[in-house]
Amino acid sequence: MSSSNAAYTNKEVLHRYMQLPTHGNVQCMYIWIDGTGEGLRCKTRTVDFEPKAPEELPVWNYDGSSTGQAEGSNSDMYLHPVALFDDPFRLRPNKLVLCETYKYDKRPAETNFRLSCRKVMDRAKDEHPWFGMEQEYTLLNQDGHPFGWPQRGYPGPQGPYYCGVGADKVYGRDILEAHYRACLYAGVTISGTNAEVMPAQWEFQVGPCEGIEMGDHLWIARFLLHRVCEDFGVVASLDPKPMPGDWNGAGCHTNYSTFAMREENGIRHIESAIEKLAKQHKRHIMLYDPNDGQDNARRLTGHHETSSINDFSAGVANRGASIRIPRQVGEEKKGYFEDRRPASNCDPYRVTEAIVRTTILDDWEEEACGYDDDY
Ligand code: ADP
Ligand code: MN
Ligand code: MN
Ligand code: MN
């Protein structure tokens, strides 16, 4: 293991303890999104049964003043379990528990975008919206230097790295492989992986997922990525432009279809959805990263396989457009399209909600956040 990691511990020693029986106790790791809208937090509690549904688990609390979500004087926040996954680190029957966050007065936390997403997905459920999100990320050493890059200077220019193979082409495949298996074990609908255009940059795809499951599965897949990287002493960055200059940024392309788009001649529905998206370009850009488009402004330059943040465009097989219709979809005249604008650090709940509001509900009136009646 790298000597730069001062906090390194021997995983073989750990392994011995992880074999110990737990006498019917089940460890449930509650996971939630913190006040940055980007960071994840987690803590564990023991229960004496194996939960089969999130409702079986207790609501829990945490210190919101330590996660950027509350004042110190009134800091108790609530964790509301909403989805269960198998824990690939502690193994079955232990669980990962995705949670929504609520304030003391039952209002959702500012970064709980799942609540309004869930309501929008419920209103649109008859259209069966499917999503597939391509999560790009960059591996960094703990000092912030891209993993595998020379300590001084740069690797050779982009070209040989995308989908590359060989020690001079890709850096950190172990992490990609470990994460892929961890996702499969957990029950995340991961559909594939590849090496990206910039060396030390990788991608995994989650989907197709229907409705609220898109956000749930992508957030857990991100948690697994950070957790796997922790084991390797490496950091996964979701910064949309980690290296300035002639290096590709990182996005979270969002593939989307409705039932009608997937049927014969669904291309008509794809085209009318794109016309609606064109009219809401600015609104979508505001929602496609956690900082109102500022993060994406560094990435969506019109170069490096992106469209300019200021323009909306669409085209078959065009990777320089905001929206790309895959060539096969153009030929079969049905299928899905790809929104290439979301940044790698986007909140999938906000992205998928925005797409459904624009293309299905035609409704941007109703306020996005409010009390949760079911809470
Ligand atoms: P790209 O060619 O843009 O790199 P990828 O193969 O990386 O595409 O990702 C394609 C994504 O589209 C995957 O997440 C996949 O699950 C998703 N997808 C496939 N079919 C559909 C569909 N009908 N509706 C929505 N998403 C889909
Ligand atoms: Mn891809
Ligand atoms: Mn990609
Ligand atoms: Mn893509």
Side-chain angles (χ1 to χ4, degrees):
M1 183 54 67
S2 70
S3 52
S4 69
N5 183 358
Y8 169 71
T9 57
N10 186 329
K11 302 299 184 216
E12 271 176 55
V13 178
L14 169 67
H15 187 66
R16 200 150 53 82
Y17 295 95
M18 297 308 283
Q19 306 304 304
L20 296 174
T22 55
H23 309 301
N25 290 300
V26 174
Q27 292 165 291
C28 291
M29 185 177 256
Y30 282 44
I31 296 165
W32 70 99
I33 299 158
D34 73 14
T36 64
E38 203 177 330
L40 286 162
R41 309 281 176 132
C42 57
K43 62 176 189 164
T44 301
R45 67 187 293 161
T46 309
V47 297
D48 60 4
F49 64 99
E50 183 183 350
K52 303 289 185 205
E55 302 78 42
E56 295 170 22
L57 286 170
V59 168
W60 203 9
N61 63 295
Y62 69 102
D63 171 13
S65 72
S66 299
T67 61
Q69 289 170 303
E71 298 292 320
S73 56
N74 198 355
S75 64
D76 270 11
M77 303 268 296
Y78 294 100
L79 294 171
H80 194 173
V82 292
L84 291 184
F85 294 83
D86 285 328
D87 184 337
F89 308 101
R90 295 165 170 155
L91 306 185
R92 294 181 190 106
N94 300 299
K95 293 285 180 283
L96 302 178
V97 184
L98 183 68
C99 296
E100 280 191 31
T101 50
Y102 287 89
K103 301 184 203 181
Y104 64 93
D105 62 1
K106 299 191 175 182
R107 274 181 306 147
E110 270 81 15
T111 54
N112 176 1
F113 294 107
R114 189 182 186 276
L115 170 62
S116 64
C117 182
R118 165 156 64 86
K119 290 179 174 171
V120 159
M121 292 304 169
D122 197 50
R123 286 165 62 199
K125 65 175 184 295
D126 292 344
E127 309 289 332
H128 296 283
W130 288 6
F131 303 93
M133 295 181 81
E134 306 167 47
Q135 179 68 64
E136 294 179 338
Y137 61 94
T138 308
L139 297 179
L140 307 174
N141 289 327
Q142 279 159 311
D143 61 7
H145 195 69
F147 185 74
W149 285 33
Q151 243 351 286
R152 286 178 196 76
Y154 294 90
Q158 294 183 162
Y161 309 115
Y162 169 74
C163 296
V165 56
D168 56 342
K169 305 291 194 304
V170 295
Y171 308 134
R173 190 188 298 277
D174 286 355
I175 287 141
L176 181 97
E177 295 296 345
H179 173 255
Y180 200 161
R181 287 293 176 97
C183 283
L184 290 172
Y185 183 94
V188 169
T189 307
I190 183 168
S191 52
T193 60
N194 59 268
E196 267 305 332
V197 174
M198 185 179 92
Q201 199 176 74
W202 297 88
E203 170 179 313
F204 63 85
Q205 301 102 29
V206 174
C209 291
E210 185 164 331
I212 196 70
E213 283 205 342
M214 183 66 253
D216 291 353
H217 282 232
L218 186 59
W219 275 114
I220 289 292
R222 286 177 178 176
F223 175 83
L224 293 173
L225 179 66
H226 294 306
R227 178 65 184 76
V228 164
C229 282
E230 182 186 316
D231 275 353
F232 285 98
V234 168
V235 175
S237 168
L238 298 193
D239 190 305
K241 190 79 177 184
M243 298 308 285
D246 224 357
W247 302 102
N248 272 33
C252 196
H253 298 166
T254 302
N255 300 271
Y256 169 63
S257 63
T258 59
F259 179 76
M261 293 175 195
R262 297 188 291 270
E263 291 290 289
E264 280 315 296
N265 265 317
I267 193 90
R268 303 183 283 124
H269 299 278
I270 290 176
E271 281 159 2
S272 76
I274 292 172
E275 277 167 32
K276 291 178 185 177
L277 285 166
K279 299 199 182 93
Q280 302 290 348
H281 177 65
K282 284 209 172 72
R283 198 195 290 272
H284 280 248
I285 288 293
M286 294 285 284
L287 297 168
Y288 280 7
D289 73 46
N291 293 300
D292 304 334
Q294 289 179 62
D295 295 348
N296 233 344
R298 290 183 283 125
R299 163 181 169 256
L300 294 179
T301 57
H303 307 286
H304 303 108
E305 300 176 49
T306 69
S307 59
S308 160
I309 196 166
N310 301 312
D311 305 320
F312 182 91
S313 56
V316 174
N318 184 356
R319 287 170 197 272
S322 318
I323 304 283
R324 166 180 150 254
I325 298 173
R327 189 176 304 285
Q328 195 187 341
V329 173
E331 281 164 9
E332 292 177 0
K333 305 212 178 313
K334 63 173 181 179
Y336 64 97
F337 65 87
E338 176 190 43
D339 188 340
R340 299 175 60 81
R341 297 170 295 172
S344 45
N345 61 349
C346 69
D347 186 329
Y349 296 128
R350 300 179 89 185
V351 172
T352 56
E353 173 180 335
I355 291 173
V356 166
R357 276 187 188 270
T358 296
T359 66
I360 298 181
L361 300 181
D362 290 301
D363 175 15
W364 279 100
E365 294 306 311
E366 188 194 304
E367 207 35 61
C369 271
Y371 289 82
D372 184 6
D373 319 322
D374 324 329
Y375 175 72

